[in-house]
Amino acid sequence: MEKMNESPENPFAVTRKIPIASGSSETVKDALHHLVEFEPVLGASRSSGNWLKVTYDASCIGIRDVERMLDEVGAARDEGVIWSIRSAWYAFLDGNAKSNARSSGACCNRPPPRA
């Protein structure tokens, strides 16, 4: 199952590969179906091995939201050190994307106000 609505107009679309610890193929199908139904998720598919490939709009949701959705359907993630570090990095990047999406523009090209 795959739903890809990616468009070049969305600069905040990101693709993340998430390791799945274990689970039946039915659990993984449920997880993919659950993810695809959520509007900011642009696509979800099973990648090689025990990996999920998820594309979402980082200006709306972040990796923590995706992890929460996977927990809801019982798709256990690999909780190793490598994934913990990568997940934290993704959370940082997604937080920056949300901040940039809400900003009114760069401030570095504006002179400071006169006192």
Side-chain angles (χ1 to χ4, degrees):
M1 168 179 292
E2 187 170 352
K3 172 187 168 189
M4 289 290 179
N5 290 336
E6 288 185 68
S7 64
E9 297 89 38
N10 189 347
F12 298 106
V14 295
T15 300
R16 309 287 191 223
K17 287 181 77 175
I18 303 170
I20 299 297
S22 63
S24 69
S25 61
E26 195 63 36
T27 303
V28 173
K29 283 182 184 179
D30 288 344
L32 291 174
H33 181 71
H34 188 66
L35 286 170
V36 169
E37 293 300 315
F38 192 56
E39 189 173 330
V41 175
L42 305 172
S45 64
R46 187 170 190 160
S47 189
S48 61
N50 286 334
W51 291 84
L52 294 181
K53 184 177 173 182
V54 181
T55 302
Y56 57 90
D57 185 349
S59 66
C60 299
I61 63 170
I63 191 69
R64 300 293 185 227
D65 301 315
V66 173
E67 290 176 329
R68 203 171 305 115
M69 286 187 277
L70 291 173
D71 290 342
E72 287 175 6
V73 294
R77 292 177 319 282
D78 183 10
E79 296 293 336
V81 174
I82 300 292
W83 174 248
S84 297
I85 293 169
R86 186 174 289 167
S87 176
W89 177 248
Y90 289 160
F92 172 75
L93 293 176
D94 293 346
N96 282 345
K98 282 183 185 179
S99 294
N100 289 336
R102 291 185 176 101
S103 75
S104 60
C107 62
C108 56
N109 65 350
R110 294 184 211 139
R114 295 188 180 196

